[in-house]
């Protein structure tokens, strides 16, 4: 079981911003920007491009709704999208509110937000999710 499946199962806490039957969106614990969110399928698949065509479409459509909520909740020019998965073998789409290209740089120093700040960001995005 991946760490993300344990999050979906409620065994590990997360800052959940949205979910439906198939997908779960939560704040990245080590964000590169305020509002950095991960969107995962509840079904455990390691590699994004191993998802079925239908699942990729549904995954992206769910991520689109989450990105729209992020855009409303967090001041940004656009919401960037990245798929890497080198660390956690459970397919996830990174959604990152961007002001500049540098906001997508995973090598830079990540933000250190307090639990209260994380919760506040989470609540804002969750409230904007439709
Ligand atoms: P990657 O697999 O390279 O796309 O990176 C995995 C991402 O998951 C990183 O940005 C981590 O900060 C994030 N991450 C790892 N564990 C957790 C967790 N328990 N809750 C939220 N985000 C996590």
């Amino acid at each position: 079981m991946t760490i993300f499946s344990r999050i979906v199962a409620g065994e590990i806490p997360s800052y959940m911003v949205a979910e439906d039957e198939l997908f779960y969106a939560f704040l990245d614990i080590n964000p590169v920007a305020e509002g950095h969110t991960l969107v995962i399928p509840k079904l455990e698949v390691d590699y994004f491009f191993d998802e079925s065509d239908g699942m990729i479409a549904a995954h992206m459509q769910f991520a689109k709704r989450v990105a729209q909520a992020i855009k409303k909740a967090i001041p940004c020019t656009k919401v960037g999208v990245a798929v890497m998965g080198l660390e956690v073998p459970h397919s996830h789409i990174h959604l990152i509110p961007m002001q500049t290209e540098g906001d997508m740089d995973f090598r830079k120093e990540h933000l250190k937000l307090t639990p209260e700040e994380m919760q506040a960001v989470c609540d804002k995005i969750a409230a904007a999710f439709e």
Side-chain angles (χ1 to χ4, degrees):
M1 201 181 199
T2 67
I3 186 167
F4 288 172
S5 288
R6 296 183 64 200
I7 284 176
V8 172
E11 291 173 18
I12 293 177
S14 68
Y15 296 97
M16 186 194 80
V17 301
E19 71 172 328
D20 70 2
E21 260 174 55
L22 300 176
F23 301 100
Y24 189 96
F26 58 109
L27 295 187
D28 194 299
I29 205 71
N30 192 20
V32 295
E34 195 177 291
H36 180 174
T37 299
L38 304 176
V39 184
I40 64 171
K42 291 183 174 177
L43 184 71
E44 220 175 81
V45 177
D46 175 356
Y47 181 43
F48 180 71
F49 289 114
D50 281 339
E51 292 183 20
S52 69
D53 290 357
M55 190 167 159
I56 285 193
H59 195 172
M60 256 316 163
Q61 283 164 18
F62 190 78
K64 174 179 173 176
R65 290 169 61 203
V66 176
Q68 285 167 334
I70 293 172
K71 183 84 167 53
K72 276 191 214 151
I74 309 288
C76 62
T77 309
K78 287 186 175 172
V79 174
V81 181
V83 175
M84 291 174 295
L86 292 174
E87 192 187 310
V88 179
H90 186 140
S91 172
H92 49 281
I93 297 172
H94 292 261
L95 298 177
I96 299 166
M98 300 180 297
Q99 308 274 14
T100 68
E101 208 177 74
D103 292 330
M104 293 292 287
D105 183 359
F106 281 73
R107 289 166 304 187
K108 73 175 184 197
E109 201 182 335
H110 293 215
L111 300 183
K112 287 185 181 62
L113 300 182
T114 64
E116 293 74 23
E117 288 167 332
M118 290 289 277
Q119 192 60 59
V121 171
C122 176
D123 291 347
K124 271 194 279 185
I125 298 171
F129 183 77
E130 287 172 16

